[in-house]
Every structure is written in structure tokens, then in C-alpha cells.
Amino acid sequence: MSRLGNIGAKLYRGEVGYDFVAKRMLWYGISILITVVAIAGLGFKGLHMGIEFQGGALFTTPPTSVSVEQAKEDAKAASGGHEAIVQQLGNGSLRIQVGGLDTASATPVTEKLAQDLGVPAEKINTQLVGPSWGQDIADKAWTGLAVFMVLVVIYLAIAFEWRMAVAALIALIHDLTITVGIYALVGFEVTPGTVIGLLTILGYSLYDTVVVFDGLKDGAKDITKQTKYTYSEIANRSLNATLVRSINTTVVALLPVAGLLFIGGGVLGAGMLNDISLSLFVGLAAGAYSSIFIATPLVADLKEREPQMKALKKRILAKRAAEAAKGDAGQGDAGQGADAPEDAVAAAAQGVVSPRPGRGRSTQGKRR
């Protein structure tokens, strides 16, 4: 078995682990900070809506030697001052997007672009998009998102309990907020591909969370009938048992998405790949983070507020305190009968228990 496999087996059996739940206030603080930055980016920079949502024209030119910056200036001048988004495609052609253009103004802009870029006007592919089409997509996306969240809450409340449903919903909103905020900070264009990516990450965001919740449900069965572990400790054990699995699945999912984002979008210049892959990459990473650091600690927080869990925790702490006091008393008795602490440690290491004072002498007397 590999080293990672050995660690995973030890995590599953509870032999090793990291106390994620005990440090939950740290994770909450980090998440709040990231969320505030994302919301600030969304508020100050805003989303860069594509022509599918605001209407406009899309010009695709044949291969040209004109730079992207020069093409932006030419497109802005040709369209009468409208801001243009220019992307260079892999074959040297340019993708020029200008918002706010209608059918009447698109033809003169095409001719002016052809003149400035030094390409034939008939070789420029022009596509016009009305804002109503993009608005229809946005409305359906919001409707789908609302229906999805309602169904998720209902399912989790039935399959597990309402506290897990609340925690999963908060983690989901956390992931969406971070993804949209980073989209605004990066300045990528919001297109139907972005909407597809955002809707896709919803399922991935809940995947690891549901797996941990399933293990937690089994581990917490008849929890009040034992006095060994509190609910938070069982939640942490369940989280550690699936930690390596969550990391492996997340890395495997992120690798192809990273290839789409950095190679397909960055090197080859495929605009649609950028739109989908960025939302998928950020959403997958945020979903893995929230399932480990947000959802499970939040469930433990909510559950520990129950009177039964408070009483259980009180009994467990009292039992541990009594056992610790008994152990200290036993160590005190052993220390009184030992002339040298080093000898007692050496004897214990060899599995030999030193006799109490007097026993050795009486035994020796009998032998004599």
C-alpha cells in the first residue's frame, strides 16, 4: 500500500487525525474574509456581462497581424465610442465583441473594421445578439438555482436532518458567492458558458459534504447511549475518515478543468472554455474547502446546542475528569514506593511492575 493509502487507512480507523472541528472559529474567520473580498470585488468592479445579456455584435476576423490593443482602439473608433472586448484566437484571427450595436449600425462598423485591420469585409463574420435572449437565459438560470436549492434542503432534511440541510445550504451559498466574486475580480466575461459552469458546480459542491454527512449519521447513531465521544468528536472522526478520499476526488476533478482553463483558454484563446472552466475551477476548489472546513463544523455547532448533546458532553467530561484524577492518584502511589523514578520508568518499559514497599521484604523473609 502506498504512503498516502496508509495515511488514509489510519485516518479511517481513527488512529491519526486533525481536529478540524475544534478549530472551526479559525475556518469561519477565513471564510468570512474570503467572502467579504469576493463581495467587495462584486460591488466595486461588478460583473462584466457579455453581449448575450446586454445585446451587441460579435465580429470574427480572418488571421491578421494587428495587435489586440490596436484592434480595441480600432473597434472603439469604428463603433462610435463603444467599449470593445478583443481576444486573439489560436490561428491568429481576432474575436471582437462590441456591446450596444444594432443591425443598422453593425454593417458600417464591419466595413470600418475591415479597412482599419487590413482584411476583406466579406471575410469578417458578424453575429448580432439581442439582449432579450440573454435575459431569458438568466431568468431560467435563477429559476433553476432556486428550485435546486429547495430540493436539496428538502432531500437533506429527510435523508439526514434539518441541521445538516442548513449547513449544506450555507456551504453552497458560500461557494457560489466566492465563485461569482472571483469572476468579478478577474474580469472575465459573463456568458451562457458561465451560467452553465455555475449550475454545474452545485452538484460538485454538495458531493463531498453528503459523503461526510452519511458517515456522521452512522457514527452518531445511538450516540446518547455511550460516554466515549461527544458529537463534535464523532463529526471530526467522520471528516478525517473521508479526508483523503475528498482530496483525491477533488484533485482528479481539478486537473482536467485546469487544463481547459490554462491551456485551452489561456494558450489557445478559446473564449467559451475560459467562461466555463474558470467557474468550474473556482467552484470545485471552494466546494472541497467548504465540505471540510464549513459544513461539518457548522453541523457540530448546531448539534451541540441540543439539550441532549449538552448533557452527553457534560457526562463525558465528568467521566474523563474522574479517570484523570484516578490515574493521577495511581501514579502518586507508585511514586511513593519508588526510590528512583528512572528505575520505575525502566521497569514499566520492560513490562515489570515494582512491588510495593514491604512485600519484597516479607517474601524474602518467608524464603529464608
Side-chain angles (χ1 to χ4, degrees):
M1 186 182 293
S2 65
R3 184 177 182 182
L4 185 61
N6 288 329
I7 295 175
K10 290 181 179 179
L11 286 170
Y12 182 79
R13 293 192 298 265
E15 297 175 5
V16 296
Y18 183 80
D19 201 347
F20 293 98
V21 177
K23 296 179 174 61
R24 55 187 176 273
M25 299 309 298
L26 173 62
W27 317 134
Y28 294 164
I30 294 175
S31 294
I32 291 173
L33 179 61
I34 297 175
T35 304
V36 168
V37 172
I39 294 175
L42 187 61
F44 286 105
K45 297 192 66 174
L47 291 174
H48 194 186
M49 307 303 292
I51 61 172
E52 293 88 356
F53 296 98
Q54 64 177 351
L58 178 63
F59 306 96
T60 305
T61 71
T64 177
S65 59
V66 178
S67 65
V68 172
E69 294 299 324
Q70 183 61 44
K72 284 183 180 180
E73 297 179 2
D74 293 340
K76 184 176 182 179
S79 60
H82 291 277
E83 292 293 333
I85 300 175
V86 180
Q87 291 179 324
Q88 188 171 29
L89 305 181
N91 58 355
S93 59
L94 298 176
R95 182 178 182 266
I96 304 174
Q97 179 179 301
V98 182
L101 295 182
D102 53 17
T103 305
S105 57
T107 301
V109 172
T110 303
E111 296 175 352
K112 185 69 169 59
L113 278 176
Q115 181 181 354
D116 294 338
L117 300 177
V119 296
E122 60 274 9
K123 295 290 186 179
I124 298 179
N125 183 22
T126 304
Q127 297 178 354
L128 296 174
V129 180
S132 59
W133 182 75
Q135 186 61 43
D136 185 54
I137 291 179
D139 292 341
K140 290 181 179 179
W142 283 113
T143 303
L145 178 62
V147 171
F148 174 83
M149 287 188 170
V150 171
L151 292 177
V152 164
V153 170
I154 294 175
Y155 170 75
L156 292 179
I158 295 174
F160 300 103
E161 59 172 300
W162 69 266
R163 295 168 188 80
M164 292 184 178
V166 171
L169 181 62
I170 292 175
L172 186 61
I173 296 174
H174 164 273
D175 299 340
L176 288 175
T177 303
I178 291 177
T179 304
V180 175
I182 291 180
Y183 222 93
L185 290 172
V186 173
F188 273 25
E189 186 182 22
V190 177
T191 66
T194 307
V195 177
I196 294 172
L198 289 175
L199 295 178
T200 302
I201 67 172
L202 298 179
Y204 282 106
S205 177
L206 290 170
Y207 184 72
D208 290 331
T209 303
V210 171
V211 172
V212 177
F213 284 177
D214 186 62
L216 178 55
K217 179 183 177 182
D218 292 338
K221 187 177 181 181
D222 298 329
I223 184 176
T224 55
K225 297 181 181 179
Q226 54 85 45
T227 56
K228 190 175 182 181
Y229 299 113
T230 65
Y231 190 90
S232 293
E233 290 169 345
I234 292 178
N236 194 70
R237 288 168 63 89
S238 301
L239 185 56
N240 278 278
T242 59
L243 182 62
V244 174
R245 176 188 177 281
S246 299
I247 294 175
N248 288 338
T249 55
T250 301
V251 171
V252 170
L254 284 176
L255 287 176
V257 176
L260 289 175
L261 177 61
F262 299 110
I263 298 177
V267 178
L268 301 180
M272 183 62 74
L273 291 181
N274 275 337
D275 304 334
I276 298 177
S277 58
L278 178 63
S279 57
L280 285 177
F281 187 86
V282 177
L284 288 172
Y289 172 84
S290 65
S291 66
I292 297 173
F293 298 99
I294 303 298
T296 306
L298 188 57
V299 169
D301 255 343
L302 295 174
K303 196 70 176 178
E304 291 282 6
R305 299 174 185 271
E306 291 184 357
Q308 290 182 340
M309 296 300 118
K310 288 181 178 180
L312 174 65
K313 185 176 182 179
K314 186 176 181 180
R315 293 198 305 270
I316 292 175
L317 294 180
K319 179 182 177 182
R320 291 176 181 174
E323 291 176 349
K326 184 178 179 181
D328 292 340
Q331 290 177 0
D333 293 341
Q336 291 175 1
D339 294 333
E342 292 81 5
D343 296 340
V345 173
Q350 296 174 2
V352 179
V353 179
S354 300
R356 289 186 179 180
R359 285 187 179 181
R361 292 192 295 270
S362 62
T363 302
Q364 293 173 1
K366 289 180 180 180
R367 286 178 180 174
R368 287 195 298 266

